[in-house]
Amino acid sequence: MLDISALRVGYGQGDVLTDVSFGLPKGVSGCLLGRNGAGKSTVMRSIMGFLRPSAGEIRFGNESIVGRTPDRVARSGIGYVPEDRAIFPNLSVEENLRVTRPCGPQPMDLAGIYDLFPILAERRRQAAGTLSGGEQQLLSVGRALMGGPSLLLLDEPSEGLAPLVIRSLGDDIRRLRQAGLTILLAEQNIEFARSVSDVVFVLDRGQICFQGTFDELERDPDLKHRHLFVGHVKSKVA
Ligand SMILES: Nc1ncnc2c1ncn2[C@@H]1O[C@H](COP(=O)(O)OP(=O)(O)O)[C@@H](O)[C@H]1O
Ligand SMILES: [Mg+2]
C-alpha cells in the first residue's frame, strides 16, 4: 500500500534522510522508531507533500505521490495527525472536525466519528483548547478520519499523555487497525508502539537500520541500545 524507496530529504542545510526505504502492506500497522531528531516527522512530512524529496520515490497504492501538494495527498486517501496535533483552540470540537472535507476512499461523517469516539460527541460544543491532552489527540485523529483515509499517519500520538490516557489511546488505535485501516506511526515510547503495531522500522542516521517484528528487535539488545536508548538516556540527563 505504501512503498518508500531511497528517499533523500533535507531542509536546505544537508540531508536529514539520506536513503530511507520501507514498505507497509495494506491493513498492517507499522511503527517508525527513532531517537529525538532521527527524522521520523521528516518521513511523515515527506509523505504528506510538505517537503520535496531531492531523490527517491514514494508510492501509495499503485501511484507515485512525490510532488503532490498536501491537499492532493490527503485526497488520495492519506490522513495525517501531526506531532503538535494542529487543533484550532478557539473553534469548537465540531468545527474542528468540519475543517476536513469528507473526500477520501471511505469518507466518514460526524456521526461516524462520534460513534468511534463518544467523548467528542459529549464535548462537541466545547472550545477545543479546553479539552484534555488525550481528548485533543482523539480530536486530531477524528479530524483525519473525516477525510476517509485508507492510510493513517500518527506522529508521536502518545507524547505528553498520562499512562492511563496512553492505554486508552492504544485501545482506540487497535480498533482502527481491526477495522482495516493501514497505520504508520512514529514513536519514542517503545512499549506503546509495540502494543499497537505489527512491524517496526528503526530510523537512525538518515536510514532505516532495522526492520522486523518487535520480538526480533527485543532479541538484539545491542541494536536497541545503539539506535534507540542511548539518546534517551542522554536527553534525560541533560
Ligand atoms: N523545519 C526545519 N528546518 C530545519 N531543520 C529541521 C526542521 N525540522 C526538523 N529539522 C531537523 O531535521 C532533523 C530531524 O527532525 P525530525 O524529523 O523532526 O525528527 P524526529 O521527528 O525523529 O524527532 C533534526 O535534526 C531537526 O533539527
Ligand atoms: Mg518528530
Side-chain angles (χ1 to χ4, degrees):
M1 157 152 279
L2 177 71
D3 267 299
I4 297 184
S5 55
L7 193 68
R8 178 182 284 272
V9 192
Y11 295 89
Q13 334 78 328
D15 292 317
V16 172
L17 310 178
T18 51
D19 185 9
V20 166
S21 302
F22 67 95
L24 207 53
K26 189 170 159 44
V28 167
S29 168
C31 180
L32 275 169
L33 280 181
R35 289 193 276 248
N36 202 12
K40 303 179 295 296
S41 299
T42 302
V43 171
M44 300 215 161
R45 290 180 204 129
S46 306
I47 297 170
M48 286 314 294
F50 291 108
L51 290 171
R52 182 70 59 106
S54 56
E57 178 63 296
I58 303 174
R59 297 186 74 80
F60 176 62
N62 273 328
E63 294 172 47
S64 168
I65 57 168
V66 171
R68 289 192 184 172
T69 55
D71 71 302
R72 251 193 94 205
V73 173
R75 273 185 278 128
S76 322
I78 305 184
Y80 176 47
V81 178
E83 215 165 8
D84 64 4
R85 292 161 197 166
I87 293 297
F88 298 103
N90 298 322
L91 297 186
S92 71
V93 164
E94 191 149 310
E95 285 162 343
N96 267 276
L97 290 172
R98 284 189 193 281
V99 165
T100 304
R101 249 181 321 140
C103 58
Q106 294 134 358
M108 286 188 73
D109 56 9
L110 280 171
I113 300 296
Y114 290 151
D115 223 30
L116 265 176
F117 307 134
I119 189 71
L120 296 183
E122 265 174 57
R123 305 258 191 267
R124 69 210 292 169
R125 313 235 172 274
Q126 213 169 305
T130 67
L131 300 185
S132 71
E135 290 163 358
Q136 291 192 20
Q137 185 66 59
L138 283 188
L139 175 56
S140 195
V141 174
R143 190 177 54 192
L145 292 177
M146 286 284 284
S150 48
L151 169 67
L152 183 63
L153 309 181
L154 298 169
D155 197 347
E156 297 209 35
S158 77
E159 199 192 359
L161 302 181
L164 267 179
V165 180
I166 293 180
R167 206 171 305 160
S168 135
L169 180 68
D171 291 339
D172 289 322
I173 295 176
R174 280 189 294 276
R175 266 195 296 141
L176 295 175
R177 178 175 63 171
Q178 271 158 20
L181 201 61
T182 308
I183 298 172
L184 178 65
L185 77 159
E187 266 300 335
Q188 291 195 64
N189 180 336
I190 298 190
E191 282 320 305
F192 173 73
R194 182 181 194 132
S195 76
V196 296
S197 323
D198 309 299
V199 288
V200 54
F201 310 102
V202 176
L203 185 58
D204 194 22
R205 288 161 225 240
Q207 303 185 1
I208 301 293
C209 60
F210 168 86
Q211 55 179 302
T213 63
F214 279 88
D215 286 344
E216 286 161 354
L217 181 66
E218 290 298 329
R219 269 184 242 128
D220 195 342
D222 181 51
L223 187 140
K224 263 173 74 173
H225 183 71
R226 266 184 295 132
H227 299 292
L228 295 166
F229 284 148
V230 175
H232 252 265
V233 174
K234 268 194 200 143
S235 64
K236 274 192 184 139
V237 172

